[in-house]
Amino acid sequence: MARRPFDSAVNAIDRMFAERHRQGLGPGVSVAVTTRDELVATRTYGVANADRGDPVTDRTLFQIGSITKHITATACLRLAEQGRLDVQAPVTQYLDWFRVGSAFAAPITLHHILTHTAGLVMMMDSYPSSWAQVWMLRETNLGFEPGSRFSYSNVGYNVLQCVIQTVTGLRFDEALRELVFAPLGMSDTWGEILPDLYPRLADGHKYSSVNDRPMPRPAKQVAVNRYAMSQGCGSVVTTAADLAKYLRMQLRGGRADDGAEFLSAKSIETMLFPHAPFEGFFEGTTQGYGALVEQSDATHGHRRIIGGGENLGFEAT
Protein backbone atom coordinates (compact mmCIF):
# COMPACT_ATOMS: atom_id res chain seq x y z
CA MET A 1 0.00 0.00 0.00
CA ALA A 2 1.33 3.45 -0.90
CA ARG A 3 2.24 5.66 2.03
CA ARG A 4 0.29 8.88 2.40
CA PRO A 5 2.29 12.13 2.70
CA PHE A 6 1.63 12.58 6.42
CA ASP A 7 1.77 8.97 7.64
CA SER A 8 5.16 9.34 9.30
CA ALA A 9 4.12 12.55 11.06
CA VAL A 10 0.84 11.05 12.27
CA ASN A 11 2.65 7.93 13.51
CA ALA A 12 5.16 10.06 15.43
CA ILE A 13 2.35 12.14 16.98
CA ASP A 14 0.46 8.96 17.85
CA ARG A 15 3.50 7.49 19.62
CA MET A 16 4.10 10.72 21.51
CA PHE A 17 0.53 11.04 22.81
CA ALA A 18 0.26 7.34 23.63
CA GLU A 19 3.40 7.65 25.77
CA ARG A 20 2.23 10.92 27.36
CA HIS A 21 -1.10 9.29 28.18
CA ARG A 22 0.71 6.32 29.74
CA GLN A 23 2.75 8.76 31.85
CA GLY A 24 -0.39 10.41 33.22
CA LEU A 25 -1.25 13.21 30.76
CA GLY A 26 -4.90 12.52 31.61
CA PRO A 27 -7.41 9.66 31.79
CA GLY A 28 -8.59 10.57 28.30
CA VAL A 29 -7.10 12.45 25.35
CA SER A 30 -8.41 13.40 21.92
CA VAL A 31 -6.16 14.66 19.11
CA ALA A 32 -6.77 15.95 15.58
CA VAL A 33 -4.06 16.45 12.95
CA THR A 34 -4.93 18.79 10.10
CA THR A 35 -3.41 20.67 7.20
CA ARG A 36 -4.90 23.87 5.87
CA ASP A 37 -6.78 21.75 3.31
CA GLU A 38 -8.17 18.76 5.17
CA LEU A 39 -8.34 16.69 8.31
CA VAL A 40 -5.45 14.21 8.20
CA ALA A 41 -6.21 12.02 11.22
CA THR A 42 -7.86 11.81 14.63
CA ARG A 43 -6.64 9.74 17.55
CA THR A 44 -8.17 9.02 20.96
CA TYR A 45 -6.66 7.54 24.12
CA GLY A 46 -8.07 6.35 27.40
CA VAL A 47 -11.41 7.01 29.04
CA ALA A 48 -13.86 9.91 29.36
CA ASN A 49 -14.56 9.00 32.98
CA ALA A 50 -12.02 7.19 35.13
CA ASP A 51 -14.69 5.65 37.40
CA ARG A 52 -17.07 4.34 34.74
CA GLY A 53 -14.40 3.50 32.16
CA ASP A 54 -16.29 5.03 29.21
CA PRO A 55 -13.79 5.13 26.30
CA VAL A 56 -12.95 8.40 24.57
CA THR A 57 -14.22 8.37 20.98
CA ASP A 58 -14.13 10.89 18.13
CA ARG A 59 -17.58 12.05 19.30
CA THR A 60 -16.52 12.74 22.90
CA LEU A 61 -16.91 16.41 23.78
CA PHE A 62 -14.21 18.27 25.71
CA GLN A 63 -14.17 21.67 27.37
CA ILE A 64 -11.57 23.89 25.66
CA GLY A 65 -11.34 26.64 28.29
CA SER A 66 -9.75 29.86 27.08
CA ILE A 67 -9.64 28.76 23.44
CA THR A 68 -13.25 29.97 23.73
CA LYS A 69 -11.77 33.47 23.55
CA HIS A 70 -10.76 32.81 19.92
CA ILE A 71 -14.39 31.95 19.14
CA THR A 72 -15.76 34.98 21.03
CA ALA A 73 -13.36 37.29 19.19
CA THR A 74 -14.34 35.70 15.87
CA ALA A 75 -18.02 36.34 16.62
CA CYS A 76 -17.19 40.01 17.24
CA LEU A 77 -15.36 40.26 13.91
CA ARG A 78 -18.26 38.58 12.11
CA LEU A 79 -20.67 41.11 13.63
CA ALA A 80 -18.30 43.93 12.62
CA GLU A 81 -18.25 42.68 9.01
CA GLN A 82 -22.05 42.63 9.08
CA GLY A 83 -22.08 46.27 10.19
CA ARG A 84 -23.67 45.40 13.54
CA LEU A 85 -20.64 46.09 15.73
CA ASP A 86 -17.75 48.57 15.82
CA VAL A 87 -14.75 47.09 17.65
CA GLN A 88 -13.27 50.58 18.10
CA ALA A 89 -16.41 51.82 19.88
CA PRO A 90 -16.69 52.19 23.67
CA VAL A 91 -18.30 49.28 25.49
CA THR A 92 -20.98 51.70 26.74
CA GLN A 93 -22.24 52.13 23.17
CA TYR A 94 -23.64 48.59 23.51
CA LEU A 95 -23.95 48.19 27.30
CA ASP A 96 -25.09 51.57 28.61
CA TRP A 97 -25.02 50.21 32.19
CA PHE A 98 -21.34 49.18 32.02
CA ARG A 99 -19.22 50.92 34.68
CA VAL A 100 -15.66 50.50 35.97
CA GLY A 101 -13.85 52.71 38.45
CA SER A 102 -11.28 54.72 36.47
CA ALA A 103 -8.89 57.61 37.02
CA PHE A 104 -8.50 57.96 33.23
CA ALA A 105 -10.48 59.95 30.68
CA ALA A 106 -10.15 57.42 27.85
CA PRO A 107 -13.11 55.01 27.53
CA ILE A 108 -12.74 51.23 27.35
CA THR A 109 -13.33 50.04 23.80
CA LEU A 110 -14.09 46.56 22.50
CA HIS A 111 -10.63 46.59 20.89
CA HIS A 112 -9.04 47.11 24.32
CA ILE A 113 -10.90 44.10 25.70
CA LEU A 114 -10.18 41.92 22.65
CA THR A 115 -6.44 42.57 23.09
CA HIS A 116 -6.37 42.40 26.92
CA THR A 117 -5.26 46.05 27.11
CA ALA A 118 -8.32 47.44 28.93
CA GLY A 119 -6.83 47.38 32.43
CA LEU A 120 -9.63 45.20 33.85
CA VAL A 121 -9.18 42.72 36.69
CA MET A 122 -8.49 39.15 35.60
CA MET A 123 -11.22 37.21 37.40
CA MET A 124 -14.69 37.72 38.90
CA ASP A 125 -15.45 34.05 39.59
CA SER A 126 -17.34 34.61 42.84
CA TYR A 127 -20.38 35.89 40.95
CA PRO A 128 -22.95 33.48 39.48
CA SER A 129 -23.05 34.55 35.83
CA SER A 130 -21.19 36.57 33.22
CA TRP A 131 -23.85 39.28 33.48
CA ALA A 132 -23.42 39.51 37.25
CA GLN A 133 -19.63 39.60 36.86
CA VAL A 134 -19.78 42.42 34.33
CA TRP A 135 -22.24 44.38 36.47
CA MET A 136 -19.96 44.05 39.53
CA LEU A 137 -16.97 45.46 37.64
CA ARG A 138 -18.30 48.79 38.96
CA GLU A 139 -16.87 47.69 42.31
CA THR A 140 -13.35 47.47 40.80
CA ASN A 141 -10.84 49.98 39.42
CA LEU A 142 -8.78 49.95 36.24
CA GLY A 143 -5.15 49.01 36.73
CA PHE A 144 -3.87 51.34 34.02
CA GLU A 145 -5.01 53.62 31.21
CA PRO A 146 -6.85 51.62 28.53
CA GLY A 147 -4.56 50.79 25.62
CA SER A 148 -1.32 51.54 27.44
CA ARG A 149 -0.20 47.98 28.26
CA PHE A 150 -1.20 44.30 28.45
CA SER A 151 -2.89 42.46 31.31
CA TYR A 152 -4.85 39.23 30.77
CA SER A 153 -8.51 39.42 31.73
CA ASN A 154 -11.04 36.58 31.74
CA VAL A 155 -13.90 38.84 32.79
CA GLY A 156 -13.14 41.11 29.81
CA TYR A 157 -14.25 38.35 27.46
CA ASN A 158 -17.43 37.99 29.50
CA VAL A 159 -18.03 41.67 28.72
CA LEU A 160 -17.77 40.71 25.03
CA GLN A 161 -20.27 37.89 25.63
CA CYS A 162 -22.77 40.41 27.01
CA VAL A 163 -22.18 42.67 24.01
CA ILE A 164 -22.69 39.80 21.54
CA GLN A 165 -25.90 38.73 23.26
CA THR A 166 -27.20 42.32 23.39
CA VAL A 167 -26.50 42.95 19.71
CA THR A 168 -27.96 39.63 18.52
CA GLY A 169 -30.73 39.18 21.08
CA LEU A 170 -29.72 35.52 21.37
CA ARG A 171 -28.42 33.20 24.04
CA PHE A 172 -24.64 32.89 23.85
CA ASP A 173 -24.72 29.37 22.40
CA GLU A 174 -27.31 30.45 19.80
CA ALA A 175 -25.26 33.50 18.83
CA LEU A 176 -22.06 31.48 18.39
CA ARG A 177 -23.94 28.86 16.39
CA GLU A 178 -25.32 31.50 14.00
CA LEU A 179 -22.08 33.49 13.69
CA VAL A 180 -19.36 30.80 13.86
CA PHE A 181 -20.32 27.15 14.25
CA ALA A 182 -22.92 26.76 11.48
CA PRO A 183 -20.94 28.65 8.77
CA LEU A 184 -17.85 26.53 9.55
CA GLY A 185 -19.76 23.23 9.69
CA MET A 186 -18.91 22.78 13.39
CA SER A 187 -21.94 20.63 14.17
CA ASP A 188 -20.29 19.02 17.23
CA THR A 189 -19.60 22.31 19.02
CA TRP A 190 -21.60 24.24 21.63
CA GLY A 191 -21.02 27.66 23.18
CA GLU A 192 -22.26 26.74 26.62
CA ILE A 193 -21.72 23.78 28.95
CA LEU A 194 -25.27 22.44 29.09
CA PRO A 195 -26.68 19.49 31.10
CA ASP A 196 -28.10 18.04 27.88
CA LEU A 197 -24.50 17.47 26.72
CA TYR A 198 -23.43 15.42 29.77
CA PRO A 199 -23.86 12.02 28.05
CA ARG A 200 -21.25 13.00 25.44
CA LEU A 201 -19.10 15.29 27.59
CA ALA A 202 -15.88 13.95 29.08
CA ASP A 203 -15.52 14.53 32.81
CA GLY A 204 -12.75 16.75 34.06
CA HIS A 205 -10.26 14.95 36.30
CA LYS A 206 -7.93 15.99 39.10
CA TYR A 207 -5.42 14.05 41.17
CA SER A 208 -6.97 12.97 44.46
CA SER A 209 -5.71 13.70 47.95
CA VAL A 210 -7.19 12.92 51.37
CA ASN A 211 -7.61 15.96 53.62
CA ASP A 212 -4.14 17.38 54.23
CA ARG A 213 -2.19 14.19 53.59
CA PRO A 214 0.48 14.00 50.89
CA MET A 215 -0.76 12.79 47.51
CA PRO A 216 -0.28 9.03 47.14
CA ARG A 217 2.02 7.57 44.49
CA PRO A 218 0.92 6.58 41.99
CA ALA A 219 -1.73 9.28 42.37
CA LYS A 220 -5.29 8.48 41.35
CA GLN A 221 -7.20 10.76 39.00
CA VAL A 222 -10.84 11.28 39.97
CA ALA A 223 -13.68 13.02 38.15
CA VAL A 224 -14.61 16.52 39.34
CA ASN A 225 -18.23 17.59 39.79
CA ARG A 226 -20.06 18.47 36.59
CA TYR A 227 -21.41 21.99 36.18
CA ALA A 228 -23.24 24.18 33.69
CA MET A 229 -21.59 27.38 32.46
CA SER A 230 -22.05 30.18 29.94
CA GLN A 231 -19.00 32.45 29.71
CA GLY A 232 -17.37 34.27 26.83
CA CYS A 233 -13.98 33.48 28.33
CA GLY A 234 -14.28 29.71 28.57
CA SER A 235 -17.51 27.74 28.01
CA VAL A 236 -17.14 26.26 24.50
CA VAL A 237 -17.23 22.45 24.26
CA THR A 238 -16.25 20.62 21.07
CA THR A 239 -14.47 17.66 19.52
CA ALA A 240 -10.89 17.71 18.29
CA ALA A 241 -12.07 17.28 14.68
CA ASP A 242 -14.50 20.21 14.95
CA LEU A 243 -11.84 22.46 16.47
CA ALA A 244 -9.61 21.55 13.51
CA LYS A 245 -12.27 23.06 11.20
CA TYR A 246 -11.83 26.38 13.00
CA LEU A 247 -8.05 26.13 12.72
CA ARG A 248 -8.25 25.40 8.99
CA MET A 249 -10.29 28.58 8.52
CA GLN A 250 -7.47 30.57 10.12
CA LEU A 251 -4.79 28.78 8.09
CA ARG A 252 -6.71 29.53 4.87
CA GLY A 253 -6.94 33.22 5.64
CA GLY A 254 -10.64 33.22 6.46
CA ARG A 255 -12.16 30.60 4.15
CA ALA A 256 -14.32 27.74 5.38
CA ASP A 257 -14.01 24.11 4.27
CA ASP A 258 -16.63 24.68 1.55
CA GLY A 259 -14.54 27.51 0.06
CA ALA A 260 -16.87 30.30 1.19
CA GLU A 261 -15.38 33.45 2.69
CA PHE A 262 -16.06 33.30 6.41
CA LEU A 263 -13.87 36.26 7.41
CA SER A 264 -12.22 38.78 5.13
CA ALA A 265 -8.45 38.88 4.81
CA LYS A 266 -8.55 42.23 6.64
CA SER A 267 -10.37 40.69 9.61
CA ILE A 268 -7.94 37.76 9.75
CA GLU A 269 -5.00 40.16 9.78
CA THR A 270 -6.69 42.17 12.54
CA MET A 271 -7.21 38.98 14.55
CA LEU A 272 -3.58 37.86 14.11
CA PHE A 273 -1.90 41.28 14.29
CA PRO A 274 0.65 41.69 17.14
CA HIS A 275 -1.40 44.23 19.08
CA ALA A 276 0.46 43.86 22.41
CA PRO A 277 3.31 41.79 23.87
CA PHE A 278 1.99 38.74 25.71
CA GLU A 279 3.95 38.91 28.94
CA GLY A 280 5.18 35.73 30.58
CA PHE A 281 5.06 33.51 27.49
CA PHE A 282 7.51 32.61 24.71
CA GLU A 283 9.76 35.40 23.48
CA GLY A 284 8.20 37.03 20.45
CA THR A 285 4.64 36.06 21.46
CA THR A 286 2.02 38.77 21.03
CA GLN A 287 -1.69 39.15 21.67
CA GLY A 288 -4.09 39.25 18.77
CA TYR A 289 -7.88 39.12 19.03
CA GLY A 290 -8.34 36.06 21.23
CA ALA A 291 -5.40 34.28 19.60
CA LEU A 292 -1.73 34.43 20.49
CA VAL A 293 0.76 34.89 17.68
CA GLU A 294 4.46 34.01 17.78
CA GLN A 295 6.98 35.06 15.18
CA SER A 296 10.58 34.70 16.24
CA ASP A 297 13.87 32.95 15.49
CA ALA A 298 12.29 29.80 16.94
CA THR A 299 9.56 29.83 14.27
CA HIS A 300 12.07 30.50 11.44
CA GLY A 301 10.10 33.51 10.27
CA HIS A 302 6.76 31.70 10.13
CA ARG A 303 3.78 32.97 12.08
CA ARG A 304 2.57 30.49 14.70
CA ILE A 305 -1.01 30.71 16.00
CA ILE A 306 -1.21 29.58 19.63
CA GLY A 307 -4.18 28.83 21.83
CA GLY A 308 -4.43 27.09 25.15
CA GLY A 309 -7.19 26.63 27.68
CA GLU A 310 -7.86 25.16 31.10
CA ASN A 311 -11.13 24.56 32.89
CA LEU A 312 -11.58 22.53 36.05
CA GLY A 313 -10.05 19.15 35.19
CA PHE A 314 -9.51 19.94 31.50
CA GLU A 315 -6.62 21.13 29.33
CA ALA A 316 -6.75 22.01 25.63
CA THR A 317 -4.29 23.37 23.13
Side-chain angles (χ1 to χ4, degrees):
M1 179 183 293
R3 289 174 60 83
R4 295 179 300 168
F6 298 101
D7 279 353
S8 60
V10 170
N11 289 339
I13 291 167
D14 195 10
R15 289 193 300 272
M16 179 188 73
F17 274 101
E19 178 61 18
R20 291 290 305 280
H21 175 250
R22 189 190 66 78
Q23 293 172 354
L25 175 63
V29 183
S30 184
V31 178
V33 182
T34 189
T35 67
R36 72 179 66 241
D37 299 315
E38 62 182 353
L39 183 68
V40 175
T42 58
R43 294 289 186 271
T44 60
Y45 314 87
V47 295
N49 180 287
D51 296 323
R52 294 192 306 270
D54 304 331
V56 175
T57 72
D58 286 342
R59 296 189 71 250
T60 302
L61 299 172
F62 286 84
Q63 297 182 33
I64 61 171
S66 285
I67 300 178
T68 297
K69 295 181 176 71
H70 295 230
I71 309 294
T72 301
T74 299
C76 289
L77 287 169
R78 289 272 290 172
L79 287 170
E81 290 195 348
Q82 295 171 7
R84 302 164 69 186
L85 197 69
D86 178 1
V87 297
Q88 299 298 334
V91 174
T92 51
Q93 181 168 315
Y94 303 99
L95 306 176
D96 57 9
W97 46 269
F98 177 76
R99 301 284 185 277
V100 184
S102 176
F104 311 102
I108 298 171
T109 67
L110 302 184
H111 171 83
H112 292 142
I113 294 177
L114 284 159
T115 57
H116 295 288
T117 59
L120 297 173
V121 296
M122 180 179 180
M123 304 286 281
M124 295 285 282
D125 280 355
S126 58
Y127 297 96
S129 73
S130 292
W131 294 83
Q133 290 176 18
V134 175
W135 176 267
M136 290 307 297
L137 280 172
R138 62 191 57 216
E139 303 293 329
T140 70
N141 293 292
L142 292 185
F144 50 82
E145 183 176 8
S148 65
R149 52 164 294 200
F150 168 91
S151 183
Y152 195 86
S153 174
N154 279 317
V155 70
Y157 269 73
N158 293 344
V159 174
L160 297 176
Q161 173 192 351
C162 294
V163 170
I164 290 167
Q165 290 191 241
T166 299
V167 170
T168 63
L170 300 171
R171 272 188 31 238
F172 190 49
D173 174 63
E174 294 169 339
L176 294 187
R177 188 157 309 284
E178 177 183 294
L179 293 166
V180 182
F181 305 150
L184 292 179
M186 297 171 67
S187 57
D188 282 327
T189 305
W190 282 261
E192 299 173 74
I193 302 168
L194 305 167
D196 289 351
L197 300 177
Y198 287 169
R200 286 186 58 190
L201 184 63
D203 285 305
H205 290 79
K206 289 287 188 182
Y207 285 105
S208 64
S209 59
V210 179
N211 298 325
D212 62 345
R213 307 308 301 162
M215 192 177 295
R217 291 289 185 266
K220 180 184 178 183
Q221 291 180 322
V222 296
V224 301
N225 290 333
R226 288 177 165 180
Y227 51 88
M229 185 170 75
S230 173
Q231 293 200 345
C233 68
S235 64
V236 168
V237 296
T238 188
T239 64
D242 247 25
L243 191 57
K245 295 177 183 178
Y246 179 79
L247 179 57
R248 285 197 295 276
M249 178 276 296
Q250 288 190 320
L251 292 171
R252 290 197 197 101
R255 294 204 170 273
D257 279 347
D258 62 6
E261 183 179 88
F262 172 79
L263 281 176
S264 68
K266 180 180 179 182
S267 288
I268 287 291
E269 283 307 307
T270 298
M271 172 176 274
L272 302 181
F273 188 82
H275 293 287
F278 189 90
E279 299 171 11
F281 209 60
F282 303 123
E283 182 181 353
T285 302
T286 54
Q287 181 67 59
Y289 278 17
L292 300 181
V293 182
E294 181 192 7
Q295 195 156 2
S296 66
D297 291 343
T299 64
H300 305 287
H302 295 289
R303 180 168 61 180
R304 184 163 71 132
I305 305 167
I306 306 169
E310 295 185 11
N311 278 359
L312 184 60
F314 288 90
E315 292 184 12
T317 186

